[in-house]
Amino acid sequence: MSQLQARFFTEDKRYIVDDVPFSIPASSEVEDLGNIINKLLLAKNASHSKVEFDFLVRGQFLRTSLSFHMETEGISTEEVVEIEYAEKITAPQPEECMMHDDWISSVDADNEWILTGSYDKTARIWSPEGKAMMTVAGHTDVVKDVAWVKRDGLTSLLLTSSLDQTILMWEWNSEKNKVKARHCCRGHTGSVDTVATDPTGSKFSSGSWDKMLKIWSAVPTDEADEVEEPADRPRKKQKTQQLGLTRTPLMTLSGHNEAVSSVLWSDTEEVCSASWDHTIRVWDAETGEMKTTLTSTKVFNCISYSPLCRRLASGSADRHIRLWDPRTKDGSLVLLSLTSHHGWVTAVKWSPSHQHQLVSGSMDNLVKLWDTRSCKAPLYDLAAHEDKVFCVDWTESGLMLSGGADNKLYSFKYSACQTDAGA
Amino acid sequence: MRSSEKQEKMKKTGEKTKAKRSKEEQEEQEEEQIFNFNNNNKAADEDGGDEDLTDSEESVFSGLEDSGSDSEDEEEGEDEESVEDDDDDDEEDEDESVKTEQVQQGEQKEEEKEEKEDEYAQDSSDEEDIRNTVGNVPMEWYKDFPHIGYDLDGRKIYRPIRNKDELDHFLDKMENPDYWKTVHDKQTGSDIVLSDEQVELVNRLQRGQFGDVNFNEYQPTVEFFTKDVMIHPVTNRPADKRSFIPSLLEKEKVSKLVHAIKMGWIKPRRVEPDSRGRFYDLWANEDSSILSNHRMHLPAPKVQLPGHQESYNPPPEYLFTEEELSLWEQQDPSDRKLPFVPRRFSNLRQVPAYQRFIHERFERCLDLYLCPRQRKMRVNVNPEDLIPKLPKPKDLQPFPTTQSLVYRGHTGLVRSISVSPSGQWLASGSDDGSVKFWEVCSSRCIKTVQVGGAVKDVSWNPNPSVCLLAVALDSVVLVLSPSLGDKQVVSSSERLLSGEQEPTEEAGPVIWSDTEGEELNRGVRLKIHHPKAVHQVAWHAKGDYLASVMPDNSSHLQVLIHQLSRRRSQNPFRKNKGLVQCVSFHPLRPYFFVATQRSVRIYNLVKQEMTKKLQANSKWISSMSVHPGGDHVICGSYDCRLSWFDLDLSTKPYKMLRHHKKAVRGVAYHRNYPLFASASDDGSVIVCHGTVYNDLLQNPLIVPVKVLKGHVITHDLGVLDVTFHPTQPWIFSSGADATVRLFT
């Protein structure tokens, strides 16, 4: 059992080796296998320079010796082992640190701009280089969540939801650097903790502490919706008039028994919401019907959906990250549990470009980069924060962002593999 | 000392007999002896070896006991002062014996010659020493004289000048190899070194042997009469007639006996039936008849049958090897496998007496004596069965297990916490004079209200449609409207506060006042001034009534119930029933719980009477919580106990939990989950599972599930208050370390 028959293959065209079985020592580890591949490549191509590889045996990252790994995974050592290899994912490099005045509650970033919501009742727009562009002030209470809606050239639409029970839709012109409140979405009777835009940018959904999930139109108009408001406080009316036109929800989805903590669009027609009542519910955005319920035993703080692998990742108050299949009919089946955090998992985010990778932030001050193929331990721990992490995000341009109670938004440069992105 | 004395005496007698034998020579050769002796002595003094040479061949049965004298000398040296008298006597005795020996010593040559001559010729005197004529008197009589006696001519024999002191003795002892056989002659006052033969003689006498080496103790006996029957009689007398005639006398005796037997006067000796035998089979099974007679009969314990090991000639494998033997010796006697070492003897004759016989018999007697006479019906109970079957804490999940969040910001100890009915906000009142509002999920302090005084108690209004907080502070109860949450809720709470105001009755002990300006901006809506310091506030479940506690031993005015909507206060009690610790409203029915120092009274508010009095069995109740179902109450006390009352069951606690090491400060029930918790000064919160069944016959199931630690003990105070999250299985605790902690 000292030698194993192994066949190496890769999806990376640059590093293909001949498809012949090799006899390798069973005790070899990642480094030894890397040396083998590098030697083979060097024999094939003299100009090859050394590359660090990671190895997968039946879709699981090799982290121990090969024999131990196969023993624990229950893989027979008699047959030829198929070992996949890929260029090693390099550690995310810290880029910028964006200072805020108060705790950062949320972050939403796309390739051009970063939007953060803060406990100082404002939202801020930053350039990816860390330059503060704009401070969006208008809420009377803590901004709990922010989201980009749409960008048409220089003008962008963005949403901020707040503890003051409203969602504000803003129009921001990046050239003039001017922001204008277009709509004030009223209807929730509790703090609006989460807001999400649908993939087309025509609708958005919001979840609130009042247990309701509401779907709104994201198209800015010039007329206010009719609101039958009890006329008791003229003081507040004035305020709303200042901040854009009032908008009422298209639809209210009620079903959760507790506060809705996270909401997202998995499809143009489908809304997923996670709640403190220990359920994730999948709704039909057209009809407003509930399609599936995924039940757990712990409070959900955050969910994230990856269209690449079609999995939901959830962060709970019990320090586990769980992966779910939202399409299962029988409900509560956890596909995988990722456990390494010591505090509540407050934020999870799938990689927009990689089907196996996700990033998570926790109350234990850590941000962790995970690969679902290595579920025992995270790929990297990013220990930059000095206090609780509340939000993480990931752009397609390879920027990881995390913000928390230390008033800092960190950005990390992350080198996404081109080959894996295609996979 | 005494034994040695005895020895000496015995020696002396033995020697005297010897001396007698050689008396004649002594007599004869007086003059020469003295001369010789003196010569000898001198020679001995000068050169011990010389004398040895002269004496060695001839003297066979002369000498002195060495060991005795040796020890004597030592004793003399060691403890002369203390036992001087004894020593003197001994020496004297010794001297005598020595004297005789020495006499013999001198004459050995002549002795042999004279033996062939007339051995009875010289048998004149009993005198043994003719040099000194004082005779057999204690020499200490001459102690004070310069002389020690008189010679044959009547001249004084002077005491030799002895200037040997202790040191000389010692040096002599150390250096002189003949010291051990040197004896002091008190009669002549000179030292004599014994020859080897003399020493040998002493040794022989000590061993109990004859002094003469040549004496044969076992001479062949010469028998006068032989045991063999000789063919010839000793006398030639013919046999008597009576030896041929049967004896009439005997005949008469026999006939008498025969007659007696015939008449039955004499019974022939009964022959013991040998069927039982004198020995019985020790290892045989017990007779079944005994068993049938006694149902509970217990046979005596049997000794073990002897095996090969007990044999006098066991097979070699039973004999111990050296390792086994050493192991056996090292072992404690009680741990040994065998109580003896198997030994091998070539025949049974050589087997010695068994040393452990008495011991073993004794043990056997003990076995028989201590063996139980009666069969005790013992119930075999597995100790684990006695433990009540409690489910594992794992199966009782969910309950809080780990510390998740710490709410930091207070600077003084946090006396009281309260969670809003929705579970979104947490209010905490601290000794630093502030009330803080926290967002539960993020541990963010949303609002701080300075109230200007140590806050004793905070309590959220349990009605979810209003958002009000009652704060007990010195002698004032503040009603705060934190304006957190929905505007509808805020407005409805405003409406409740600004309800129609009754004309204030002058008699009332309480003054209601609205706040203005600065305080209004901070959120303080209402002030209820009490005459005394308020320690606790408790809301009714509907949220309109508010009870406040002013502990005071001497007054009946300890509890006040306020109605918020009508701004009315009333004192429900006319009598002082003890120091009130805390109060609580029944969650469903119009009952009111009042905890005094040692008991909990339950009042029916509608009928205005006491319905029940619970005895807490503890010295001083600190806190109380009512189950959301209303049928169970838990009380924490300063003597570390938590008592659970089942109101339907008894007025005594259904269960007492003593898990805390220090005073229990706070207790709480969960609103939905079957959980309750207690907080203590030992810095821990103990969470227990407490299922209450709807079935009245089934008692509550109470299982402690978790000890939560995290608070730092400050000024001997640990956790001061504890409260559950209204919807999640989470628990908040506030401590003297100025923090509030959330365990999930």
PDB file of all heavy atoms in Angstrom, chain B residues 460-482:
ATOM      1  N   TRP B 460     -40.221  46.316  30.542  1.00  0.00           N
ATOM      2  CA  TRP B 460     -40.978  46.671  29.342  1.00  0.00           C
ATOM      3  C   TRP B 460     -42.434  46.361  29.579  1.00  0.00           C
ATOM      4  O   TRP B 460     -42.769  45.336  30.182  1.00  0.00           O
ATOM      5  CB  TRP B 460     -40.529  45.838  28.140  1.00  0.00           C
ATOM      6  CG  TRP B 460     -39.325  46.339  27.421  1.00  0.00           C
ATOM      7  CD1 TRP B 460     -38.068  45.930  27.622  1.00  0.00           C
ATOM      8  CD2 TRP B 460     -39.282  47.302  26.370  1.00  0.00           C
ATOM      9  NE1 TRP B 460     -37.223  46.576  26.774  1.00  0.00           N
ATOM     10  CE2 TRP B 460     -37.938  47.435  25.993  1.00  0.00           C
ATOM     11  CE3 TRP B 460     -40.252  48.079  25.724  1.00  0.00           C
ATOM     12  CZ2 TRP B 460     -37.529  48.297  24.992  1.00  0.00           C
ATOM     13  CZ3 TRP B 460     -39.835  48.933  24.730  1.00  0.00           C
ATOM     14  CH2 TRP B 460     -38.476  49.059  24.368  1.00  0.00           C
ATOM     15  N   ASN B 461     -43.232  47.197  29.021  1.00  0.00           N
ATOM     16  CA  ASN B 461     -44.654  46.908  29.039  1.00  0.00           C
ATOM     17  C   ASN B 461     -44.893  45.682  28.166  1.00  0.00           C
ATOM     18  O   ASN B 461     -44.493  45.645  27.014  1.00  0.00           O
ATOM     19  CB  ASN B 461     -45.410  48.120  28.467  1.00  0.00           C
ATOM     20  CG  ASN B 461     -46.890  48.001  28.690  1.00  0.00           C
ATOM     21  OD1 ASN B 461     -47.444  46.927  28.571  1.00  0.00           O
ATOM     22  ND2 ASN B 461     -47.516  49.112  29.028  1.00  0.00           N
ATOM     23  N   PRO B 462     -45.541  44.653  28.717  1.00  0.00           N
ATOM     24  CA  PRO B 462     -45.677  43.409  27.943  1.00  0.00           C
ATOM     25  C   PRO B 462     -46.672  43.497  26.794  1.00  0.00           C
ATOM     26  O   PRO B 462     -46.734  42.592  25.970  1.00  0.00           O
ATOM     27  CB  PRO B 462     -46.139  42.387  28.990  1.00  0.00           C
ATOM     28  CG  PRO B 462     -46.715  43.181  30.089  1.00  0.00           C
ATOM     29  CD  PRO B 462     -46.088  44.523  30.084  1.00  0.00           C
ATOM     30  N   ASN B 463     -47.423  44.549  26.738  1.00  0.00           N
ATOM     31  CA  ASN B 463     -48.400  44.687  25.662  1.00  0.00           C
ATOM     32  C   ASN B 463     -47.664  45.065  24.375  1.00  0.00           C
ATOM     33  O   ASN B 463     -47.006  46.105  24.320  1.00  0.00           O
ATOM     34  CB  ASN B 463     -49.397  45.775  26.056  1.00  0.00           C
ATOM     35  CG  ASN B 463     -50.550  45.834  25.072  1.00  0.00           C
ATOM     36  OD1 ASN B 463     -50.492  45.211  24.019  1.00  0.00           O
ATOM     37  ND2 ASN B 463     -51.575  46.574  25.429  1.00  0.00           N
ATOM     38  N   PRO B 464     -47.759  44.247  23.326  1.00  0.00           N
ATOM     39  CA  PRO B 464     -46.987  44.565  22.120  1.00  0.00           C
ATOM     40  C   PRO B 464     -47.516  45.785  21.370  1.00  0.00           C
ATOM     41  O   PRO B 464     -46.836  46.302  20.493  1.00  0.00           O
ATOM     42  CB  PRO B 464     -47.110  43.291  21.277  1.00  0.00           C
ATOM     43  CG  PRO B 464     -48.255  42.543  21.814  1.00  0.00           C
ATOM     44  CD  PRO B 464     -48.478  42.974  23.224  1.00  0.00           C
ATOM     45  N   SER B 465     -48.690  46.230  21.723  1.00  0.00           N
ATOM     46  CA  SER B 465     -49.231  47.366  20.977  1.00  0.00           C
ATOM     47  C   SER B 465     -48.807  48.698  21.585  1.00  0.00           C
ATOM     48  O   SER B 465     -49.141  49.738  21.057  1.00  0.00           O
ATOM     49  CB  SER B 465     -50.752  47.279  20.912  1.00  0.00           C
ATOM     50  OG  SER B 465     -51.269  47.385  22.219  1.00  0.00           O
ATOM     51  N   VAL B 466     -48.119  48.662  22.691  1.00  0.00           N
ATOM     52  CA  VAL B 466     -47.550  49.901  23.217  1.00  0.00           C
ATOM     53  C   VAL B 466     -46.068  49.681  23.445  1.00  0.00           C
ATOM     54  O   VAL B 466     -45.605  48.548  23.536  1.00  0.00           O
ATOM     55  CB  VAL B 466     -48.218  50.360  24.539  1.00  0.00           C
ATOM     56  CG1 VAL B 466     -49.648  50.751  24.311  1.00  0.00           C
ATOM     57  CG2 VAL B 466     -48.110  49.272  25.574  1.00  0.00           C
ATOM     58  N   CYS B 467     -45.349  50.752  23.471  1.00  0.00           N
ATOM     59  CA  CYS B 467     -43.909  50.643  23.646  1.00  0.00           C
ATOM     60  C   CYS B 467     -43.512  51.540  24.809  1.00  0.00           C
ATOM     61  O   CYS B 467     -43.268  52.731  24.616  1.00  0.00           O
ATOM     62  CB  CYS B 467     -43.230  51.044  22.342  1.00  0.00           C
ATOM     63  SG  CYS B 467     -41.446  50.994  22.425  1.00  0.00           S
ATOM     64  N   LEU B 468     -43.554  50.987  26.000  1.00  0.00           N
ATOM     65  CA  LEU B 468     -43.263  51.782  27.192  1.00  0.00           C
ATOM     66  C   LEU B 468     -42.344  50.986  28.101  1.00  0.00           C
ATOM     67  O   LEU B 468     -42.361  49.754  28.111  1.00  0.00           O
ATOM     68  CB  LEU B 468     -44.549  52.096  27.959  1.00  0.00           C
ATOM     69  CG  LEU B 468     -45.513  53.069  27.302  1.00  0.00           C
ATOM     70  CD1 LEU B 468     -46.797  53.117  28.100  1.00  0.00           C
ATOM     71  CD2 LEU B 468     -44.908  54.449  27.191  1.00  0.00           C
ATOM     72  N   LEU B 469     -41.562  51.726  28.835  1.00  0.00           N
ATOM     73  CA  LEU B 469     -40.647  51.087  29.760  1.00  0.00           C
ATOM     74  C   LEU B 469     -40.812  51.743  31.121  1.00  0.00           C
ATOM     75  O   LEU B 469     -40.790  52.971  31.220  1.00  0.00           O
ATOM     76  CB  LEU B 469     -39.206  51.246  29.271  1.00  0.00           C
ATOM     77  CG  LEU B 469     -38.149  50.526  30.085  1.00  0.00           C
ATOM     78  CD1 LEU B 469     -38.108  49.060  29.717  1.00  0.00           C
ATOM     79  CD2 LEU B 469     -36.799  51.154  29.866  1.00  0.00           C
ATOM     80  N   ALA B 470     -41.018  50.911  32.144  1.00  0.00           N
ATOM     81  CA  ALA B 470     -41.092  51.443  33.499  1.00  0.00           C
ATOM     82  C   ALA B 470     -39.722  51.310  34.138  1.00  0.00           C
ATOM     83  O   ALA B 470     -39.076  50.274  34.028  1.00  0.00           O
ATOM     84  CB  ALA B 470     -42.128  50.671  34.306  1.00  0.00           C
ATOM     85  N   VAL B 471     -39.299  52.378  34.783  1.00  0.00           N
ATOM     86  CA  VAL B 471     -37.977  52.401  35.392  1.00  0.00           C
ATOM     87  C   VAL B 471     -38.131  52.777  36.854  1.00  0.00           C
ATOM     88  O   VAL B 471     -38.736  53.807  37.170  1.00  0.00           O
ATOM     89  CB  VAL B 471     -37.065  53.419  34.670  1.00  0.00           C
ATOM     90  CG1 VAL B 471     -35.707  53.470  35.338  1.00  0.00           C
ATOM     91  CG2 VAL B 471     -36.928  53.088  33.210  1.00  0.00           C
ATOM     92  N   ALA B 472     -37.611  51.946  37.728  1.00  0.00           N
ATOM     93  CA  ALA B 472     -37.636  52.256  39.158  1.00  0.00           C
ATOM     94  C   ALA B 472     -36.317  52.905  39.520  1.00  0.00           C
ATOM     95  O   ALA B 472     -35.252  52.378  39.212  1.00  0.00           O
ATOM     96  CB  ALA B 472     -37.852  50.991  39.972  1.00  0.00           C
ATOM     97  N   LEU B 473     -36.413  54.057  40.168  1.00  0.00           N
ATOM     98  CA  LEU B 473     -35.232  54.868  40.397  1.00  0.00           C
ATOM     99  C   LEU B 473     -35.479  55.657  41.664  1.00  0.00           C
ATOM    100  O   LEU B 473     -36.389  56.475  41.714  1.00  0.00           O
ATOM    101  CB  LEU B 473     -35.069  55.790  39.173  1.00  0.00           C
ATOM    102  CG  LEU B 473     -34.246  57.031  39.251  1.00  0.00           C
ATOM    103  CD1 LEU B 473     -32.827  56.649  38.957  1.00  0.00           C
ATOM    104  CD2 LEU B 473     -34.741  58.007  38.210  1.00  0.00           C
ATOM    105  N   ASP B 474     -34.703  55.356  42.689  1.00  0.00           N
ATOM    106  CA  ASP B 474     -34.921  55.986  43.991  1.00  0.00           C
ATOM    107  C   ASP B 474     -36.391  55.840  44.398  1.00  0.00           C
ATOM    108  O   ASP B 474     -36.898  54.740  44.456  1.00  0.00           O
ATOM    109  CB  ASP B 474     -34.502  57.458  43.958  1.00  0.00           C
ATOM    110  CG  ASP B 474     -33.005  57.569  43.736  1.00  0.00           C
ATOM    111  OD1 ASP B 474     -32.301  56.588  44.061  1.00  0.00           O
ATOM    112  OD2 ASP B 474     -32.564  58.595  43.222  1.00  0.00           O
ATOM    113  N   SER B 475     -37.044  56.962  44.598  1.00  0.00           N
ATOM    114  CA  SER B 475     -38.448  56.877  45.006  1.00  0.00           C
ATOM    115  C   SER B 475     -39.382  57.232  43.859  1.00  0.00           C
ATOM    116  O   SER B 475     -40.533  57.561  44.085  1.00  0.00           O
ATOM    117  CB  SER B 475     -38.681  57.800  46.202  1.00  0.00           C
ATOM    118  OG  SER B 475     -38.477  59.125  45.785  1.00  0.00           O
ATOM    119  N   VAL B 476     -38.862  57.180  42.653  1.00  0.00           N
ATOM    120  CA  VAL B 476     -39.670  57.569  41.502  1.00  0.00           C
ATOM    121  C   VAL B 476     -39.776  56.376  40.564  1.00  0.00           C
ATOM    122  O   VAL B 476     -38.816  55.611  40.406  1.00  0.00           O
ATOM    123  CB  VAL B 476     -39.000  58.752  40.753  1.00  0.00           C
ATOM    124  CG1 VAL B 476     -39.893  59.242  39.635  1.00  0.00           C
ATOM    125  CG2 VAL B 476     -38.656  59.860  41.709  1.00  0.00           C
ATOM    126  N   VAL B 477     -40.941  56.236  39.967  1.00  0.00           N
ATOM    127  CA  VAL B 477     -41.078  55.296  38.856  1.00  0.00           C
ATOM    128  C   VAL B 477     -41.265  56.134  37.611  1.00  0.00           C
ATOM    129  O   VAL B 477     -42.184  56.951  37.536  1.00  0.00           O
ATOM    130  CB  VAL B 477     -42.271  54.343  39.076  1.00  0.00           C
ATOM    131  CG1 VAL B 477     -42.502  53.522  37.821  1.00  0.00           C
ATOM    132  CG2 VAL B 477     -42.018  53.447  40.262  1.00  0.00           C
ATOM    133  N   LEU B 478     -40.343  55.959  36.657  1.00  0.00           N
ATOM    134  CA  LEU B 478     -40.437  56.692  35.408  1.00  0.00           C
ATOM    135  C   LEU B 478     -41.085  55.805  34.374  1.00  0.00           C
ATOM    136  O   LEU B 478     -40.847  54.597  34.356  1.00  0.00           O
ATOM    137  CB  LEU B 478     -39.051  57.077  34.899  1.00  0.00           C
ATOM    138  CG  LEU B 478     -38.145  57.899  35.813  1.00  0.00           C
ATOM    139  CD1 LEU B 478     -36.817  58.087  35.126  1.00  0.00           C
ATOM    140  CD2 LEU B 478     -38.781  59.235  36.092  1.00  0.00           C
ATOM    141  N   VAL B 479     -41.874  56.398  33.528  1.00  0.00           N
ATOM    142  CA  VAL B 479     -42.392  55.671  32.375  1.00  0.00           C
ATOM    143  C   VAL B 479     -41.750  56.287  31.152  1.00  0.00           C
ATOM    144  O   VAL B 479     -41.940  57.466  30.861  1.00  0.00           O
ATOM    145  CB  VAL B 479     -43.927  55.736  32.306  1.00  0.00           C
ATOM    146  CG1 VAL B 479     -44.406  54.986  31.087  1.00  0.00           C
ATOM    147  CG2 VAL B 479     -44.526  55.159  33.561  1.00  0.00           C
ATOM    148  N   LEU B 480     -40.935  55.500  30.481  1.00  0.00           N
ATOM    149  CA  LEU B 480     -40.202  55.979  29.321  1.00  0.00           C
ATOM    150  C   LEU B 480     -40.912  55.510  28.069  1.00  0.00           C
ATOM    151  O   LEU B 480     -41.413  54.391  28.009  1.00  0.00           O
ATOM    152  CB  LEU B 480     -38.779  55.418  29.291  1.00  0.00           C
ATOM    153  CG  LEU B 480     -37.809  55.803  30.385  1.00  0.00           C
ATOM    154  CD1 LEU B 480     -36.486  55.143  30.113  1.00  0.00           C
ATOM    155  CD2 LEU B 480     -37.632  57.289  30.392  1.00  0.00           C
ATOM    156  N   SER B 481     -40.901  56.353  27.072  1.00  0.00           N
ATOM    157  CA  SER B 481     -41.374  55.942  25.765  1.00  0.00           C
ATOM    158  C   SER B 481     -40.178  56.023  24.833  1.00  0.00           C
ATOM    159  O   SER B 481     -39.800  57.089  24.374  1.00  0.00           O
ATOM    160  CB  SER B 481     -42.489  56.876  25.294  1.00  0.00           C
ATOM    161  OG  SER B 481     -42.830  56.545  23.987  1.00  0.00           O
ATOM    162  N   PRO B 482     -39.539  54.918  24.605  1.00  0.00           N
ATOM    163  CA  PRO B 482     -38.292  54.977  23.840  1.00  0.00           C
ATOM    164  C   PRO B 482     -38.499  55.267  22.362  1.00  0.00           C
ATOM    165  O   PRO B 482     -37.533  55.455  21.639  1.00  0.00           O
ATOM    166  CB  PRO B 482     -37.679  53.600  24.067  1.00  0.00           C
ATOM    167  CG  PRO B 482     -38.808  52.710  24.384  1.00  0.00           C
ATOM    168  CD  PRO B 482     -39.863  53.542  25.017  1.00  0.00           C
TER     169      PRO B 482
END
